[in-house]
Amino acid sequence: MKKSLTFAFILLSLVSMAQNRDPDVDKLAIQSSRYWLDIDYVGDGIVGHRLDIHLPKNGAGPFPIVVCIYGSAWRSNSSKGATFSTGLGQTLLENGFAVASINHRSSSDATFPAQIQDVKAAVRFVRANAARFGLDNSFIGITGWSSGGHLSALTGTTNGVKKETINGLEVDIEGSLGKFTQTGSQVDAVVDWFGPTDFLIMDSCGSSFSHNEAKSPESLLMGGPIQENKDKVALANPISYVRRGNPPFLLFHGNKDPLVPHCQSEKLFEKLQATSVKSELVIVPEGGHGPGVLIDAYYNKAIAFLKAQRDVVAGKR
């Protein structure tokens, strides 16, 4: 029998606690040369539209950029600081990447497509204001874990997509938030850490709780039970937008993930490969929903991938 949603969220909390039970305060300290906190990237004053920018302590700018999106089951509008509590943000800084850690509206603030519109607005803001912050907007990568992985992947596969229609249902992917609507929201590389993709098959792939329930994170994001909103679910699925010309992808997923089954990354990878999009999938043996996956060994692999893509972009200038 599927475990209850209450248990699932307790488990999610325990995962977070387990990762930070004995915090290494030196590792968690943010070592940056300059930083800006709580920048309102839309200009409407809400907490879900704020971002932080940190520059590397070493090296000369302007610095290539990585936009980071936290995981929260789309339930938080104010967890941008988690980029550094996981150690991911500091690893990026130490390797010469500026970090733009962003908030987005939660599913209780607004349903899909609000969250992807927020991410697109944040990317546009960063690109348009790069010179002010010492950033090199010729390379913008994006990364996130869990629901942040979903939004990172969706940002990548919808490069250049303004609106999309499936079976008569139209969704505005790009949105018109902020002052920089004429600036591009495209990204140059995607690192997706165990993000959901096809919500409709999560239960059949071995999840520990029912994503089909009306109060599941995915159903709350959609504004109704996912199996009753299949067209809207398809519009939220990064796989729906995969096509030649998508940026390169690196996917990480634990094969023991109890909350987001690893079929989610496998299905996205299969479509990327079939469409000749440069991509790699790393299935982590015994990896869970964070534990065993969000670790230095895989951070280093992600850094190597981002540096390689940065160099490719630089070679095309």
Side-chain angles (χ1 to χ4, degrees):
M1 178 180 291
K2 298 284 187 182
K3 298 179 177 68
S4 68
L5 284 172
T6 300
F7 175 84
F9 288 118
I10 291 173
L11 177 60
L12 190 58
S13 299
L14 291 174
V15 166
S16 177
M17 291 168 59
Q19 287 186 264
N20 298 287
R21 185 175 296 151
D22 296 308
D24 183 337
V25 293
D26 291 328
K27 186 175 181 180
L28 295 179
I30 302 174
Q31 302 290 331
S32 57
S33 62
R34 297 187 72 188
Y35 61 87
W36 298 264
L37 304 179
D38 287 329
I39 302 167
D40 187 342
Y41 62 84
V42 170
D44 57 8
I46 72 170
V47 68
H49 288 156
R50 297 177 186 174
L51 60 78
D52 300 340
I53 295 174
H54 289 267
L55 302 185
K57 190 173 182 179
N58 299 311
F63 298 99
I65 308 156
V66 178
V67 174
C68 299
I69 312 176
Y70 54 82
S72 69
W74 308 277
R75 300 305 303 276
S76 175
N77 62 11
S78 57
S79 295
K80 55 186 167 60
T83 294
F84 287 93
S85 65
T86 62
L88 176 59
Q90 190 59 48
T91 301
L92 289 164
L93 289 176
E94 289 172 356
N95 284 275
F97 291 96
V99 173
S101 183
I102 72 172
N103 283 346
H104 60 74
R105 283 172 288 175
S106 71
S107 58
S108 59
D109 295 328
T111 58
F112 179 83
Q115 294 70 28
I116 189 61
Q117 292 177 351
D118 292 348
V119 176
K120 298 280 188 174
V123 174
R124 293 195 301 266
F125 177 92
V126 169
R127 174 169 279 111
N129 292 278
R132 297 175 59 194
F133 297 106
L135 307 175
D136 178 2
N137 65 10
S138 69
F139 179 86
I140 300 180
I142 194 164
T143 189
W145 64 96
S146 195
S147 60
H150 163 259
L151 292 173
S152 297
L154 187 59
T155 302
T157 61
T158 59
N159 265 3
V161 175
K162 302 296 184 182
K163 296 181 179 180
E164 184 68 21
T165 301
I166 293 179
N167 292 330
L169 180 63
E170 182 181 78
V171 67
D172 183 355
I173 291 291
E174 186 72 24
S176 57
L177 295 171
K179 300 177 181 179
F180 304 101
T181 54
Q182 300 306 307
T183 301
S185 63
Q186 70 275 14
V187 294
D188 299 295
V190 179
V191 181
D192 171 5
W193 305 83
F194 47 91
T197 53
D198 186 348
F199 303 163
L200 299 178
I201 66 169
M202 293 179 80
D203 283 5
S204 62
C205 284
S207 174
S208 63
F209 72 97
S210 176
H211 298 267
N212 290 337
E213 290 185 14
K215 294 184 178 181
S216 76
E218 295 77 22
S219 294
L220 292 173
L221 180 69
M222 293 295 98
I226 56 176
Q227 296 295 343
E228 297 175 16
N229 291 274
K230 292 183 178 180
D231 292 336
K232 191 173 184 181
V233 169
L235 288 163
N237 185 349
I239 299 170
S240 298
Y241 304 90
V242 172
R243 66 195 187 284
R244 290 180 182 272
N246 281 160
F249 271 71
L250 176 59
L251 312 171
F252 293 95
H253 217 125
N255 68 351
K256 300 296 184 182
D257 191 323
L259 301 181
V260 179
H262 60 277
C263 72
Q264 296 292 286
S265 290
E266 290 172 337
K267 293 298 184 182
L268 174 56
F269 178 66
E270 288 172 6
K271 185 64 177 290
L272 291 166
Q273 288 282 290
T275 318
S276 299
V277 175
K278 183 178 180 181
S279 51
E280 181 179 357
L281 170 62
V282 178
I283 296 295
V284 179
E286 304 302 316
H289 196 71
V293 183
L294 292 174
I295 61 174
D296 287 344
Y298 299 115
Y299 288 166
N300 292 338
K301 186 172 181 63
I303 291 295
F305 167 79
L306 289 167
K307 286 183 175 179
Q309 302 317 312
R310 175 204 61 193
D311 291 345
V312 168
V313 170
K316 292 180 179 179
R317 293 179 194 171

